[in-house]
Amino acid sequence: MARDSGNRPVGGPELTVGVRVLVRRSSGVDLTGEVVEDYAAVTDPGGGGHEWAPVHRWAVALDDGRLVFADTEDLTIDPGSYRSAPNPNPDSAARTPGRHRGE
């Protein structure tokens, strides 16, 4: 994958809400799930996080039903399942069980 001058990937999928990811932890096995929220606004300096309790940028709904929070460097995008555009007819898509944002 090509990289720009900031050493960021160019031309590939971006880490955004709805992207399937692999979550890497220092201990235990790697976990798979989907990014469900981006807390970038509170991870920026002055955004509400604390030095003693840092906010992790991404909320990830794991395939086993748990919710975890991770930093960008802890996530790897699964390029095979990236959604490049929202579904133009969301009512036709199968809904997963559970609560959904905005309902």
Side-chain angles (χ1 to χ4, degrees), residues 37-51 53-59 69-71:
E37 190 63 66
D38 180 357
Y39 293 102
V42 293
T43 59
D44 292 336
H50 301 283
E51 245 180 69
V55 176
H56 299 286
R57 178 168 179 179
W58 304 101
F69 298 90
D71 296 315

Side-chain angles (χ1 to χ4, degrees), residues 19-23 31-35 60-64 78 81:
V19 172
R20 298 237 356 120
V21 293
L22 175 70
V23 181
L31 308 165
T32 56
E34 182 176 320
V35 175
V60 180
L62 298 178
D63 294 342
D64 66 8
D78 178 1
S81 62

Side-chain angles (χ1 to χ4, degrees), residues 66-80:
R66 292 180 291 158
L67 179 67
V68 298
F69 298 90
D71 296 315
T72 302
E73 57 270 9
D74 299 327
L75 303 178
T76 302
I77 296 173
D78 178 1

